[in-house]
Amino acid sequence: MMLRTRIILRTNKFDERVAEAARTFGALPGYAFGIVVDETQGPVDIPAPYQKAAFDAGFIRRNRLSHPPMVGWRCGDYFYYAALKAWDDWDQLWMLEPDVAVHDADPSAPLRYLDEAAADVDFLCSAFRKTTPAWHWHASMEPYVPEVYGCFFPVTRINRRAADHLMKARIALSRRLPAKAMVPNDEAAAASLLKAGGFRCANLGEFGRSFTDKETFSSSGFITPRMLAQRPYDGRFYHAICDGNHLATRLTKAFDKARTDADVRRLHAIALTGDDSASPRLTEITARLRAALKDRREEMPHALDGRLMTLQGRSLTHLFAEEGDYIQNLQRSRRAFYEEGHLRKIERLLPTRRRRFVDVGAHTGNHTLFFLNEAGFETATVFEPMPRTRKSLLLNLSINGLRDRVDLRHCDHALGRAAGRGRAVFNAANWGASSVVPLEDGAAEGLPIVSLDSIAPGDPVDLVKIDLRSVLAVLEGMEALLARDRPSLLLTVWEDERDAVRDRLEPTHEIAYTEQQYPRQTLMLLRPRS
């Protein structure tokens, strides 16, 4: 049987942000739509053609519900109850906050996917989990249920049976609360009361694909419409989308808490993507951030004006790119990571376990920045023996606040099959084509060459990227690491080594992705065999 599904927006006002969300979600085919309003602070006009439901102090009193301060913010489940009373044309209800975006060419597609894949789920949300006393709302719920559960409320779906049970359970809870007790919020009450009632509760990401991530769907993070528009469609939910005065408020709070230069740079980059045409407050906080950056500019190794750009992906990456180098010219012209299309395909093929990334031939940090900022790796170890290239690498790590997550102890070493010395051959037109030529055994001068096994990090490695003229020599110097950690390998292999590399890795790894980058080079992702 096809379930009748309604989408509602929860709000306490009708402004441009709500209007934009209503235009988007109110036009989705196959869904009834309405706006549910918290009118405890006074009536709110909702223009035609949108259907309206509301709750006010009288509604709360008549239904014997608790009425804490900021009730519409704290008790988002009350919006369900208003929808229960107002409309009988739904079997299940999607509730979204106005600062949520569904980033898809067809915003209904993720909803339809979940309606089919999670058809037997009574309550669908994000961050559903059993909580501990460390959670702020845990204590408010603990006396009334066997176990306390929590969730995150910007996007939820509930069926009518569960909503009816939750309202009755919330009324019963309101009767039990002592006069001065803390009223549990929506995240604690809905998750705990439905779980205690035997209803099936699940997270959005439990059904074959991911719909949220911690960088772009949280209570503290924020993303502007311009930033979102620059991202490829991914079918995910984003929160909180903000601009104008709303963005200014969030930036001001975050600036007051900023502890590092990287924090200030990140906030300034976000501010520059906002629309301050009708928001003097956004103009003001942008100027404050710019002034703070100017005060810190003298600490930079060299002037950044005109060569620093901000890439807006899942997080913000600041990239310093020199003129004249082939790879950096591409970064500047495209305002994107070098080979970003390949990297995003590869990221989706990597195992979910992402601890340390090893970057052999790190160049100016393109891959290190991507795998730390975009792909979720915790730490990195990098190697870049060319002094001029390494200077830009270290700058890129610094301006992104990543130095404490990157092992740089042997960054100036070249890698090979064994210890030795080499001569640097720098290519000014294409820094990535620079190379280290091994010197005769016993040479006293030159760049140090070491095997990866001799200096391998102690913690587990999950991905090794090698972009050198001789991949085979590095592989021969990391046999112990390959056996110990069984990492995935991202290799740029020249044609004269292609067969030998495949033969060497065939017993332990399988090719997950391959692309002919240039006539004589092949990009390969190899994953450990099961």
Side-chain angles (χ1 to χ4, degrees):
M1 181 181 68
M2 182 70 68
L3 294 178
R4 301 170 302 164
T5 305
R6 175 177 280 271
I7 297 172
I8 63 170
L9 291 178
R10 58 176 281 195
T11 185
N12 63 355
K13 58 189 174 183
F14 191 86
D15 56 11
E16 181 51 39
R17 185 160 51 107
V18 178
E20 177 63 27
R23 286 191 289 270
T24 298
F25 296 114
L28 299 187
Y31 292 93
F33 177 77
I35 300 176
V36 183
V37 187
D38 165 19
E39 293 190 325
T40 56
Q41 300 302 309
V44 176
D45 291 330
I46 301 296
Y50 304 120
Q51 298 178 11
K52 170 187 171 182
F55 65 87
D56 56 14
F59 178 99
I60 294 171
R61 185 173 57 255
R62 288 192 303 273
N63 287 286
R64 304 185 303 281
L65 291 161
S66 298
H67 191 161
M70 300 176 66
V71 62
W73 168 78
R74 178 178 294 191
C75 301
D77 51 314
Y78 287 16
F79 293 84
Y80 296 152
Y81 314 149
L84 271 174
K85 300 291 187 180
W87 301 300
D88 59 5
D89 62 350
W90 58 272
D91 302 305
Q92 63 182 10
L93 192 73
W94 280 101
M95 182 166 73
L96 300 102
E97 296 179 358
D99 54 0
V100 166
V102 183
H103 196 45
D104 198 289
D106 175 8
S108 69
L111 304 182
R112 291 198 309 270
Y113 178 94
L114 286 164
D115 285 342
E116 181 177 345
D120 60 343
V121 173
D122 300 304
F123 179 61
L124 192 61
C125 58
S126 60
F128 181 81
R129 78 282 183 198
K130 187 186 295 186
T131 66
T132 69
W135 186 42
H136 175 73
W137 296 101
H138 182 97
S140 68
M141 199 70 212
E142 189 173 28
Y144 312 107
V145 288
E147 295 177 311
V148 180
Y149 284 79
C151 63
F152 190 39
F153 235 65
V155 177
T156 61
R157 194 198 71 191
I158 191 168
N159 62 34
R160 195 172 193 96
R161 185 175 68 91
D164 184 68
H165 172 88
L166 181 58
M167 183 174 184
K168 293 174 181 175
R170 181 69 117 149
I171 291 169
L173 175 62
S174 298
R175 291 173 177 170
R176 296 178 62 188
L177 287 171
K180 295 185 178 181
M182 183 180 189
V183 176
N185 79 336
D186 42 21
E187 297 170 344
S192 300
L193 293 172
L194 288 173
K195 186 68 175 177
F199 288 85
R200 185 182 175 196
C201 307
N203 280 306
L204 294 166
E206 292 182 23
F207 301 94
R209 51 179 282 199
S210 174
F211 288 93
T212 62
D213 65 51
K214 61 183 180 182
E215 295 293 333
T216 59
F217 194 81
S218 70
S219 58
S220 57
F222 43 96
I223 184 169
T224 67
R226 180 180 167 192
M227 291 165 61
L228 186 61
Q230 293 176 348
R231 298 172 68 100
Y233 287 128
D234 55 13
R236 291 175 178 242
F237 297 102
Y238 284 76
H239 178 272
I241 306 297
C242 54
D243 210 345
N245 287 334
H246 187 206
L247 175 61
T249 298
R250 283 180 169 262
L251 286 170
T252 301
K253 290 179 179 178
F255 183 37
D256 290 341
K257 297 178 182 178
R259 293 291 181 266
T260 67
D261 292 350
D263 291 336
V264 177
R265 280 187 289 274
R266 180 180 65 85
L267 295 173
H268 182 249
I270 294 173
L272 292 177
T273 69
D275 179 7
D276 63 356
S277 59
S279 176
R281 290 172 53 205
L282 181 55
T283 302
E284 178 185 352
I285 185 60
T286 303
R288 287 180 60 198
L289 289 163
R290 186 183 301 115
L293 280 177
K294 185 177 180 180
D295 292 342
R296 292 165 168 81
R297 187 62 61 90
E298 294 179 358
E299 301 173 13
M300 291 295 178
H302 41 277
L304 303 180
D305 291 336
R307 292 175 288 179
L308 184 66
M309 56 187 173
T310 300
L311 311 183
Q312 282 115 17
R314 291 178 186 167
S315 59
L316 288 174
T317 298
H318 310 295
L319 187 64
F320 175 80
E322 291 273 19
E323 294 180 350
D325 171 42
Y326 171 72
I327 290 176
Q328 294 177 87
N329 284 345
L330 287 176
Q331 291 170 329
R332 291 167 63 88
S333 64
R334 298 173 181 173
R335 299 194 68 81
F337 290 102
Y338 176 61
E339 297 183 337
E340 182 167 343
H342 293 316
L343 290 176
R344 295 207 178 275
K345 292 176 185 176
I346 288 164
E347 190 269 333
R348 290 193 289 269
L349 295 170
L350 292 174
T352 55
R353 185 179 62 179
R354 299 179 183 184
R355 291 165 292 187
R356 183 170 292 275
F357 166 62
V358 174
D359 195 348
V360 182
H363 195 252
T364 63
N366 183 85
H367 284 54
T368 296
L369 296 177
F370 179 87
F371 284 110
L372 289 178
N373 274 353
E374 297 286 298
F377 278 81
E378 297 171 6
T379 56
T381 298
V382 300
F383 300 92
E384 180 46 65
M386 297 295 155
R388 182 175 176 185
T389 312
R390 188 170 62 251
K391 184 176 182 180
S392 290
L393 165 66
L394 297 177
L395 175 58
N396 276 323
L397 295 176
S398 293
I399 62 179
N400 284 279
L402 296 174
R403 288 287 287 263
D404 61 343
R405 292 169 58 190
V406 179
D407 182 354
L408 297 166
R409 289 174 296 172
H410 303 96
C411 183
D412 60 347
H413 287 40
L415 291 190
R417 60 176 52 88
R421 293 278 174 174
R423 175 172 57 89
V425 180
F426 182 70
N427 186 328
N430 185 356
W431 297 9
S434 302
S435 61
V436 175
V437 179
L439 299 175
E440 294 182 359
D441 291 345
E445 298 182 355
L447 291 172
I449 299 175
V450 295
S451 69
L452 188 53
D453 278 342
S454 69
I455 56 170
D459 53 333
V461 173
D462 291 315
L463 176 63
V464 179
K465 167 242 169 182
I466 307 173
D467 186 0
L468 299 179
R469 182 60 183 86
S470 179
V471 169
L472 198 58
V474 178
L475 292 174
E476 291 174 352
M478 56 180 287
E479 291 182 343
L481 186 148
L482 288 172
R484 183 193 75 182
D485 296 339
R486 304 182 69 246
S488 296
L489 302 170
L490 180 57
L491 311 176
T492 299
V493 184
W494 285 72
E495 61 180 359
D496 59 347
E497 288 194 339
R498 192 177 301 140
D499 292 342
V501 167
R502 285 175 173 168
D503 290 345
R504 187 173 193 86
L505 294 172
E506 198 279 334
T508 58
H509 287 71
E510 60 185 2
I511 296 176
Y513 179 84
T514 183
E515 183 75 27
Q516 190 75 34
Q517 289 179 291
Y518 301 102
R520 299 178 60 195
Q521 290 177 291
T522 302
L523 178 68
M524 294 191 292
L525 173 68
L526 299 101
R527 296 185 300 199
R529 294 188 184 276
S530 302

